[in-house]
Amino acid sequence: MAHDDEVSRIQKAKDDFLATAAPERWHNVELMSSWQRSQLAIGTPENVIDVPHVREDLLDAHLLDMFQAPLARFSESLDGTGLAVLLADSSGRILQRWCHDTTAAAHLDRIGTSRGAVLAENAVGTNGVGTVAVTGKSVQIRGVEHFAELYRNAVCTGAPVLHPATGKLLAVVTVSCDVRPGTDFLRPLLRSVTTQLEQHVLDVEQPSARHTFNAFLSATRTQTAPVLAFGPEGLLIQNPQSGSLSTEDIGLIRELCEDGMRDGKHSVPLSRGTATISVTNLDPGNRIVVLLPREAGAPVARQAPAPERPRRDELAGHSADWLRTAREVAAHREAGTPLIVAGEPGAGKTSLALGTPFRPEAHARGGRIADAAEAHVCGASPWLQQVASRLAEAGPLVVRGVETLDAKVLAGLRSVVESTPARGPVVLTLTAADEAEAEAFALKLGIAHLWVPPLRERPQDISVLWHAFALAAAPGTGLVPSRETLELLRAYPWPGNVRELKSVFTQAVKSRGKGPVEPADLPRALQKAQTLTMIERMELEAIQRALQEAGGNRGKAAEILGISRATVYRKMKAYRLTA
């Protein structure tokens, strides 16, 4: 009811403005100024019948190339929200739109917003693209606040991308959706995105990156295939054709290049099958990659397993935090330096330490694991002698559960690790309530540590883990969670982490047997899990990105988001986030 009253009030203010030569000043001066500019250029709202378009060859392809990669990543995070992302030039011409679901695409189609659309104020009136281009400020135009009736059912939130050195307007980024409550958070979210884009511009304009960008432009002129440019400090530029590559594909190509891939053609296992890429290394850390089309007559490559179907010997998970931790643990194993892998109960510490999924029945025979609990059964001295003898054997050794050892046995373990010439890496696992506790323990032992992110902080890994369990224990049963079930699984806080998820899977095997797993097949605690709304999910992801950008500093994250520190603390508590 209150929303209807607000809409009526705004509509009356606009009607009075259009009908009166000298209307009364309204509290929203910037909106009235935009209506005035629109009226001078267009006349009445009824004159906006449709959206004008320009030919694609008149659009700034270089600007799109520069921002394609970061905006594609941002749009992926909005999948399922009904929100669409637009990139426009400084004249309000749409260079590209990103929408990952039918709701968002249908919304843009209804309002005539596609590549080449001209949303300048003097063409279609007040809107979240053209008004930003005129004022250079972020705006949110809701429903009837638009000048033209065409946008009556739309919410357009736009923000400028300014050149970090000159302050010149480079582009406008807009998030558009149907009218709905709960869109206030879009403005600080967009400020965070445009700040990252402005830093991206700065990165591109560094001498080394500028050389890479020019080489990228040269490659795109001669190629109709996906082209990627990897630069220093994670800089990524990609052409629109690269939209066919998944985030995992691009991440894999980057990793292969960073591992020293030489100039020339290479076969790589992408999510859609084995593909051939051409690599050109420029300065150190800079390279151009072209995905080559399959040669005529060549056999179609066998489809590589999708990311959700890992092999039995692979660690399941594709979230950024999990992959980063796995790479760092692997680096310690390769270097042979002792390491503590710490985390909450059941988070997957032993699997990370081994570099392969931990299966008690298999690893008990392999001699690669020493369980600290055995020290309480056979005595400290025999157990330490056992650890020393295993260290002398070839291969890695994982010591599980060191938090159960008292100070005296811990000191003995440290002495054994330091004095025994190891023939393989030594990794200790530690169960701790939080990273601060793990850090204090590691300092006391004098060994480096890594923290394993809990499952609640990487919900995107739940489907990957579920499929890994099914592949190992119930292949061919089609025992996959339905969409509603997956929403419940992702909303649950998982105090028991991966171990608890596996227990839920085992119960589903017994109750369902085969076919889609429905909410009724889950334990009651999960059936009652509070699923997030689309806006809440987007809000959560925005806070996670800001915290990551701020290195965990809540104050800096609040500045990035444009909200108070108290709000960040409150939201983190509500979503059970850690820094």
Side-chain angles (χ1 to χ4, degrees), residues 290-325:
V290 179
L291 183 68
L292 299 177
R294 188 170 61 88
E295 295 179 7
V300 177
R302 182 177 62 84
Q303 289 295 307
E308 289 77 14
R309 298 298 300 271
R311 298 192 309 268
R312 285 177 59 90
D313 59 343
E314 285 182 336
L315 289 174
H318 63 190
S319 64
D321 288 344
W322 172 262
L323 291 174
R324 181 169 55 251
T325 305

Side-chain angles (χ1 to χ4, degrees), residues 555-567:
K556 287 184 179 178
E559 290 178 12
I560 291 170
L561 292 169
I563 58 180
S564 70
R565 185 179 302 187
T567 300

Side-chain angles (χ1 to χ4, degrees), residues 103-451:
T103 302
H107 161 73
L108 291 183
D109 291 341
R110 276 196 300 273
I111 58 177
T113 303
S114 58
R115 181 166 157 79
V118 180
L119 302 189
E121 253 191 6
N122 59 9
V124 295
T126 305
N127 71 89
V129 175
T131 302
V132 177
V134 171
T135 63
K137 299 177 182 178
S138 75
V139 300
Q140 183 172 83
I141 310 297
R142 298 180 55 85
V144 296
E145 292 179 344
H146 289 90
F147 184 76
E149 290 297 305
L150 177 67
Y151 301 109
R152 184 182 184 86
N153 295 317
V155 177
C156 298
T157 309
V161 181
L162 306 177
H163 192 286
T166 65
K168 178 184 176 183
L169 179 68
L170 295 176
V172 176
V173 178
T174 301
V175 171
S176 185
C177 61
D178 290 329
V179 169
R180 64 180 71 176
T183 53
D184 294 341
F185 203 79
L186 290 175
R187 288 187 73 175
L189 172 65
L190 267 186
R191 278 200 294 272
S192 171
V193 172
T194 53
T195 298
Q196 295 174 37
L197 294 181
E198 288 166 1
Q199 179 60 49
H200 188 69
V201 173
L202 202 59
D203 292 341
V204 168
E205 296 207 341
Q206 300 297 322
S208 178
R210 169 55 65 180
H211 176 47
T212 304
F213 186 53
N214 289 336
F216 167 81
L217 294 179
S218 177
T220 56
R221 293 189 192 103
T222 59
Q223 296 286 343
T224 58
V227 180
L228 305 169
F230 298 110
E233 299 180 6
L235 178 69
L236 168 65
I237 310 167
Q238 65 186 81
N239 65 348
Q241 290 85 345
S242 300
S244 61
L245 298 173
S246 69
T247 303
E248 290 77 19
D249 289 339
I250 294 173
L252 173 64
I253 294 172
R254 181 200 293 277
E255 287 181 16
L256 292 173
C257 288
E258 290 176 349
D259 286 343
M261 187 173 277
R262 297 181 179 179
D263 288 1
K265 296 180 180 180
H266 304 269
S267 294
V268 294
L270 302 183
S271 59
R272 63 187 186 185
T274 302
T276 302
I277 61 173
S278 172
V279 178
T280 304
N281 289 287
L282 305 172
D283 304 325
N286 295 275
R287 52 191 62 85
I288 302 295
V289 177
V290 179
L291 183 68
L292 299 177
R294 188 170 61 88
E295 295 179 7
V300 177
R302 182 177 62 84
Q303 289 295 307
E308 289 77 14
R309 298 298 300 271
R311 298 192 309 268
R312 285 177 59 90
D313 59 343
E314 285 182 336
L315 289 174
H318 63 190
S319 64
D321 288 344
W322 172 262
L323 291 174
R324 181 169 55 251
T325 305
R327 282 195 295 267
E328 291 176 355
V329 173
H332 274 274
R333 276 201 311 269
E334 184 146 348
T337 53
L339 176 69
I340 294 175
V341 176
E344 295 178 1
K349 302 181 290 295
T350 304
S351 294
L352 274 175
L354 290 166
T356 188
F358 172 54
R359 298 183 179 88
E361 70 284 358
H363 290 105
R365 300 188 298 271
R368 295 177 60 189
I369 295 178
D371 201 320
E374 295 174 3
H376 304 288
V377 177
C378 65
S381 295
W383 181 76
L384 289 172
Q385 290 173 5
Q386 188 181 74
V387 171
S389 65
R390 291 188 181 183
L391 282 172
E393 298 172 0
L397 176 64
V398 176
V399 183
R400 296 184 70 214
V402 293
E403 74 282 350
T404 65
L405 302 176
D406 59 32
K408 185 176 178 180
V409 182
L410 271 176
L413 177 62
R414 177 179 178 179
S415 176
V416 167
V417 170
E418 291 178 346
S419 61
T420 305
R423 298 181 62 192
V426 182
V427 184
L428 317 179
T429 72
L430 168 72
T431 297
D434 53 41
E435 191 168 5
E437 181 183 324
E439 185 176 18
F441 189 99
L443 287 172
K444 189 164 54 178
L445 206 57
I447 297 177
H449 83 285
L450 286 171
W451 179 256

